[in-house]
Every structure is written in structure tokens, then in C-alpha cells.
């Protein structure tokens, strides 16, 4: 057997739940361990190798001092993959981006607010170029395996460009709206097999927006189902704050 590609996992501001999903994936797909050599993975080993071909990075960038480490990872890795919603979109850490930062620090840390460095949270792509993303909170195990397989074969991983509603229809689910709930499935990228609607909850948008989402129609549908403008803003804030603020800035510009 020839030398296996070396792989490393890193984390910034996150719960590391996506890396735990990777551990689960390796239990059901142990053949991946024969195809790569993992040199750094805090959730599963103590070693910390600095020689790697592929870097999987979880978490959003929430401090200016994070940027130097991320840029170093980018310089060392031939491929950088954003692992999960926080790395891909900034995730729930960007909720604070709509608030006045100093007031958020005081709310969280009280009179110790000045002890802790922070700045508006952002995805990896706002700091360095990335080569692929695995969306979701947490990531889907099957999609992780598919992305790793594609990268090892020299292919660019494919992501669906259609909404969650397509997968929901294929599963023959009753529409969440017909159950008098709300859902962001019409504007959210598919690939999760519509897991939330399948289990009775509306989509919260953790996989990010589809290309050219019809946001005005989405807002109208939410209003027709009783949501106020503030409630709609809150609904699109959980995972989509960074993308929505970028769209708003583009509209304003």
C-alpha cells in the first residue's frame, strides 16, 4: 500500500458536534481509516501532526487572533474543508452580529467583559479560500463519507442546489405548513434528507440558503401563517445571520 493522504481536524468556535459525527461515521465506514492517515483529531487522539494534505475545520472565526491560525492551516493544507454550519456559514455564533458587540460582551461576561477578545463572528471563507464545504448542524454522516471519497478521487464534492422541500416531497411527508407549523425548507439547501420535517419539526435553515432564494415569497408565507416581521427575523437568525446580512448589505449597496 502506498502512502495514505494525511488528514487533520481543527476546531474554532463550535460545539465540536460535527467532529463527533465524524467519529460516528468512522465506526460505520471503517474502510476510510485504510484510505487516509489521520495525524490530528482532538476528539479521537492525542497526537498533533503538522504535516497534512487535507484539513477539516469546524467552527466559526470569532476572534481576530483566530485568523493567524486559520491562515497557517491554509498554507499547510492542499485542501481545506469547512466542516458544519459554523465553519460554512458562521452558524449560531453570528447571532450576535446583529447586536452591539460591547453590550453582548457585558451581557455574557459582566464586569469581566474586557478580559475576553471577540469580534463579529464569520465563516472560514471570510478569512481564507476554502475548497469544499460539508453543511449542516451537525453534518450528515453519509455526506461526510461522500465528500471524503470525492476528495480522495480528485473530484470536487457535489452539493444539492435545490431546496429541502424536494427531499421532503420524495419522502412523501405531509408539509409542515399543513400541520400549522412553519419551515424554512423552501429556501434551504437540501442534502439532509429532510430530517427535521420527517421527524415533525420545521427546517431551521442550518444548511444555508439555496442559490437565488425567493426571500420575499418566504416572508409572505411566514406572514400568512401568523409570524410577525420580528418573528420572521428571529427565525432566519438562528443559522442564517451571516448570509442574510450579506444579502441585506448587497441590497442596500
Amino acid at each position: 500500500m502506498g502512502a495514505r493522504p494525511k488528514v487533520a481536524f481543527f476546531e474554532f468556535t463550535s460545539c465540536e458536534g460535527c467532529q463527533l459525527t465524524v467519529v460516528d461515521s468512522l465506526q460505520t465506514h471503517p474502510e476510510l481509516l485504510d484510505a487516509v492517515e489521520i495525524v490530528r483529531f482532538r476528539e479521537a487522539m492525542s497526537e498533533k501532526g503538522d504535516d497534512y494534505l487535507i484539513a477539516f475545520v469546524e467552527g466559526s472565526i470569532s476572534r481576530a487572533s483566530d485568523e493567524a491560525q486559520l491562515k497557517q492551516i491554509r498554507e499547510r493544507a492542499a485542501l481545506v474543508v469547512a466542516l458544519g454550519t459554523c465553519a460554512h456559514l458562521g452558524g449560531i455564533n453570528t447571532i450576535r452580529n446583529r447586536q452591539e458587540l460591547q453590550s453582548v460582551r457585558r451581557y455574557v461576561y459582566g464586569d469581566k467583559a474586557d478580559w475576553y477578545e471577540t469580534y463579529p463572528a464569520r465563516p472560514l471563507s471570510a478569512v481564507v479560500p476554502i475548497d469544499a464545504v460539508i453543511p449542516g448542524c451537525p453534518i450528515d454522516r453519509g455526506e461526510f463519507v461522500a465528500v471524503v471519497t470525492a476528495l480522495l478521487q480528485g473530484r470536487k464534492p457535489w452539493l444539492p442546489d435545490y431546496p429541502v422541500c424536494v427531499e421532503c416531497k420524495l419522502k412523501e411527508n405531509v408539509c409542515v405548513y399543513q400541520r400549522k407549523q412553519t419551515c424554512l425548507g423552501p429556501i434551504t439547501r437540501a442534502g439532509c434528507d429532510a430530517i427535521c420535517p420527517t421527524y415533525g419539526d420545521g427546517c431551521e435553515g442550518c444548511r444555508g440558503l439555496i442559490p437565488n432564494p425567493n426571500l420575499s415569497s418566504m416572508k409572505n408565507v411566514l406572514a400568512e401563517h401568523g409570524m410577525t416581521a420580528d418573528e420572521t427575523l428571529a427565525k432566519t437568525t438562528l443559522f442564517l445571520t451571516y448570509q442574510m446580512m450579506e444579502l441585506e448589505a448587497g441590497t442596500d449597496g
Side-chain angles (χ1 to χ4, degrees), residues 64-120:
S65 60
D66 289 339
E67 293 192 7
Q69 184 187 358
L70 179 60
K71 289 175 181 176
Q72 186 179 62
I73 294 169
R74 174 70 276 183
E75 289 173 0
R76 289 176 172 168
L79 297 170
V80 175
V81 181
L83 190 66
T85 303
C86 292
H88 174 210
L89 304 171
I92 62 173
N93 301 305
T94 61
I95 291 175
R96 68 175 190 242
N97 291 5
R98 287 194 184 276
Q99 311 295 323
E100 197 279 315
L101 189 58
Q102 189 58 27
S103 67
V104 173
R105 295 173 76 185
R106 285 196 298 270
Y107 182 84
V108 175
Y109 299 115
D111 61 359
K112 307 298 188 298
D114 293 336
W115 290 17
Y116 300 96
E117 176 195 4
T118 190
Y119 75 170

Side-chain angles (χ1 to χ4, degrees), residues 80-237:
V80 175
V81 181
L83 190 66
T85 303
C86 292
H88 174 210
L89 304 171
I92 62 173
N93 301 305
T94 61
I95 291 175
R96 68 175 190 242
N97 291 5
R98 287 194 184 276
Q99 311 295 323
E100 197 279 315
L101 189 58
Q102 189 58 27
S103 67
V104 173
R105 295 173 76 185
R106 285 196 298 270
Y107 182 84
V108 175
Y109 299 115
D111 61 359
K112 307 298 188 298
D114 293 336
W115 290 17
Y116 300 96
E117 176 195 4
T118 190
Y119 75 170
R122 60 203 66 189
L124 305 186
S125 61
V127 180
V128 299
I130 59 173
D131 302 290
V133 303
I134 306 178
C137 179
I139 61 169
D140 179 82
R141 300 178 196 180
E143 193 165 42
F144 171 75
V145 174
V147 167
V148 172
T149 302
L151 293 176
L152 294 179
Q153 293 174 341
R155 295 184 288 112
K156 184 175 178 62
W158 175 82
L159 287 178
D161 59 1
Y162 48 82
V164 170
C165 291
V166 173
E167 292 178 337
C168 209
K169 289 284 187 183
L170 289 172
K171 293 182 75 71
E172 301 184 351
N173 290 335
V174 175
C175 180
V176 169
Y177 284 96
Q178 293 183 5
R179 300 200 299 260
K180 302 187 183 304
Q181 297 174 262
T182 56
C183 178
L184 296 181
I187 59 171
T188 301
R189 184 186 299 275
C192 57
D193 207 22
I195 185 170
C196 291
T198 298
Y199 285 95
D201 291 322
C203 170
E204 298 289 351
C206 74
R207 293 179 57 86
L209 298 171
I210 55 172
N212 304 310
N214 192 335
L215 294 174
S216 60
S217 290
M218 185 76 260
K219 291 176 182 176
N220 289 339
V221 169
L222 292 172
E224 289 170 2
H225 287 76
M227 295 193 75
T228 66
D230 286 344
E231 289 170 337
T232 296
L233 178 63
K235 192 169 186 63
T236 56
T237 291

